[in-house]
Amino acid sequence: ELWKSNGTALGTSVVKTIASGGADYPDSIRALGSLLYFSGRDVSNGTELWISDGSAAGTQLLKDISSGTDSSYPRGFTVLGSNVYFQARDTVNGTELWKTDGTTAGTQLFKDIYSGVSDASPNELIELSGSLYFRADDGINGAEFWKTDGTEAGTVMLQDIYSGPGDSYPNSITNLDGVLYFIGSNVAQGGELWRSDGSAAGTQIVKDINLATAASMPAYLTPVGNTLFFVADDGVSGSELWKTDGTPAGTVLVKDMAPGVDGIFPQFSQENFASFNNKLFFTVDDGINGDELWESDGSNTG
């Protein structure tokens, strides 16, 4: 259920039991002003959009988007201006982009990107400089990189990275110094690191790390200061730690910690990467010491 705490044992309590006799599993909790928005589940309405002001009385279903016990599964709540945007599903429009101003009347479908009941599945929502960026599928161009200024007319595909109906599938969208970095794929270069300044012309590959159509498959993008760390496979060193300053020349292997084509990162998770005091901290097994704590200042010796 939804809990709250003021940092003391006595001040830690259930806000409200939404699913009486069962589990509610509140998810995707996001604050805007004095309200929390979250995905909550009860027996009558399924998993729908809820709000809370921190009190039991003020914790309530905002809107049953997919009416009855059917669920809309709202998630990805992201603030743009005075509204919260999110992904939700109904039986008429499929999974599309919605918005809410915190009122039932102001909770509505923002745009049916993939016309009809098919799913645009808007995901990876991130706000930057007054615009919202996300991945969506319009049924024509595949899953591509989109943006909106908060108007329906201003909701457009930024670039068809994988030309035609194929999916470039932008993911891990990350903000570094006002520029968005993400993993994208096309026919010519495979899955590589991309960047965007919010314009079509400024949306471009950073570097083809694994040449030709082989994919370097960058992962776990982590900003540290003005540097973006990530893991990639150049086809020579295996999956190792890389960094970029946003330029091709500044996109380099930090250190080949496990020499050979297999690399050092066969399995890992985002929780194993953290920025602290202008350094990257991470967990890795170098084949000698087992899983241990490492740090990097971005240099080979560091």
Side-chain angles (χ1 to χ4, degrees):
E1 294 290 351
L2 184 66
W3 284 64
K4 68 177 181 180
S5 178
N6 63 5
T8 68
L10 288 176
T12 303
S13 61
V14 174
V15 177
K16 184 175 185 175
T17 302
I18 294 171
S20 181
D24 164 37
Y25 299 115
D27 195 15
S28 300
I29 302 170
R30 186 65 190 269
L32 175 60
S34 60
L35 290 176
L36 288 177
Y37 296 79
F38 64 98
S39 176
R41 180 179 67 87
D42 65 15
V43 175
S44 301
N45 302 288
T47 302
E48 293 292 346
L49 178 60
W50 283 68
I51 58 172
S52 177
D53 63 3
S55 69
T59 302
Q60 55 192 298
L61 175 70
L62 183 58
K63 188 165 187 172
D64 188 6
I65 293 171
S66 192
S67 61
T69 57
D70 195 36
S71 297
S72 69
Y73 299 110
R75 63 181 185 270
F77 302 117
T78 305
V79 176
L80 177 64
S82 58
N83 292 296
V84 173
Y85 292 76
F86 59 98
Q87 174 193 125
R89 182 188 70 86
D90 67 20
T91 55
V92 176
N93 302 288
T95 304
E96 295 290 344
L97 188 62
W98 284 65
K99 73 172 184 178
T100 181
D101 62 3
T103 68
T104 302
T107 303
Q108 53 194 281
L109 176 68
F110 177 64
K111 184 166 184 172
D112 188 6
I113 294 172
Y114 195 142
S115 182
V117 297
S118 298
D119 302 323
S121 300
N123 217 325
E124 297 270 342
L125 279 65
I126 184 171
E127 188 275 337
L128 178 66
S129 302
S131 291
L132 190 70
Y133 297 83
F134 56 97
R135 179 182 70 237
D137 184 350
D138 62 2
I140 300 171
N141 300 288
E144 293 293 344
F145 194 45
W146 283 65
K147 71 178 286 189
T148 182
D149 60 4
T151 67
E152 187 173 352
T155 304
V156 295
M157 182 179 67
L158 200 54
Q159 188 178 137
D160 188 8
I161 294 171
Y162 197 119
S163 183
D167 303 322
S168 73
Y169 206 74
N171 63 91
S172 301
I173 303 172
T174 304
N175 176 18
L176 176 70
D177 293 337
V179 176
L180 294 177
Y181 292 81
F182 60 93
I183 303 157
S185 179
N186 62 18
V187 175
Q189 294 142 331
E192 295 290 349
L193 183 66
W194 284 66
R195 58 171 284 164
S196 178
D197 62 5
S199 68
T203 302
Q204 53 195 294
I205 191 170
V206 176
K207 185 174 184 175
D208 190 0
I209 294 171
N210 199 329
L211 296 176
T213 56
S216 72
M217 297 307 294
Y220 306 104
L221 281 56
T222 306
V224 180
N226 57 6
T227 299
L228 184 72
F229 286 88
F230 60 99
V231 171
D233 183 352
D234 63 1
V236 177
S237 303
S239 295
E240 293 285 352
L241 185 64
W242 282 66
K243 69 174 182 178
T244 184
D245 60 4
T247 67
T251 304
V252 295
L253 176 68
V254 177
K255 186 172 186 174
D256 189 357
M257 291 178 280
V261 296
D262 292 332
I264 199 169
F265 291 102
Q267 292 180 344
F268 58 99
S269 66
Q270 181 67 61
E271 287 74 20
N272 287 352
F273 286 74
S275 172
F276 183 68
N277 281 352
N278 216 35
K279 285 186 178 182
L280 178 73
F281 289 80
F282 57 101
T283 303
V284 79
D285 182 352
D286 63 0
I288 300 171
N289 300 290
D291 280 314
E292 295 293 348
L293 180 63
W294 286 63
E295 68 174 10
S296 177
D297 63 4
S299 68
N300 184 288
T301 56

